[in-house]
Amino acid sequence: MQYKTETRSSLSYNKVNNMGVFPSDTLVRVESMAAENAVVIFSVSTCCMCHAVKGLFRGMGVSPAVHELDLHPYGVEIHRALLRLLGCSSGASTSPGGLPVVFIGGKMVGSMERVMASHINGSLVPLLKDAGALWL
């Protein structure tokens, strides 16, 4: 088995026989991106569920940081990392499955289902207030 190391900007990872190995630096990148704002949404620009969750937060007066993974240079790697964080069995998917993924206060809330469940049961607003995203 032959290993080859590639470097893209600050991201280094190993490739095994041209099959991508999950880069550990990607998790650090996701954590850093998730902590940059009170609410962070990882999205795909053409995804209707992503559009709906962005609309939900904006309608509540929240200004989320939105990362459109289809437009991001490391979008595929970030998407794989998010799928793993969500507990999906395969991090190799390149479809928008699992998106959007929402972080509030640097902590992962989850995908659309978890966000909507939190909104319906009334736990979303306190999360937003605690993170400093809402001033009600």
Side-chain angles (χ1 to χ4, degrees):
M1 195 175 296
Q2 195 164 34
Y3 290 88
K4 175 181 167 188
T5 301
E6 282 190 13
T7 303
R8 292 185 194 168
S9 182
S10 64
L11 179 67
S12 296
Y13 62 98
N14 291 323
K15 287 189 138 192
V16 180
N17 293 337
N18 296 326
M19 300 289 289
V21 174
F22 186 72
S24 61
D25 288 347
T26 303
L27 286 176
V28 173
R29 183 184 306 271
V30 168
E31 289 172 2
S32 173
M33 293 167 79
E36 73 184 16
N37 197 24
V39 177
V40 177
I41 302 172
F42 291 91
S43 173
V44 172
S45 62
T46 58
C47 170
C48 62
M49 291 303 203
C50 297
H51 179 74
V53 83
K54 290 182 278 189
L56 170 69
F57 284 109
R58 289 182 179 134
M60 296 172 77
V62 174
S63 298
V66 178
H67 296 284
E68 301 292 358
L69 298 183
D70 56 329
L71 306 176
H72 195 282
Y74 301 110
V76 172
E77 291 93 348
I78 293 168
H79 187 198
R80 286 181 186 145
L82 291 169
L83 288 174
R84 287 193 177 196
L85 288 173
L86 287 170
C88 295
S89 60
S90 172
S93 175
T94 55
S95 72
L99 294 175
V101 177
V102 176
F103 287 78
I104 298 176
K107 297 178 184 167
M108 186 173 72
V109 174
S111 61
M112 180 73 166
E113 295 82 19
R114 299 277 310 267
V115 171
M116 291 308 293
S118 297
H119 181 55
I120 291 167
N121 72 24
S123 64
L124 184 60
V125 169
L127 281 174
L128 294 168
K129 284 182 182 178
D130 290 345
L134 274 181
W135 300 273
L136 293 177

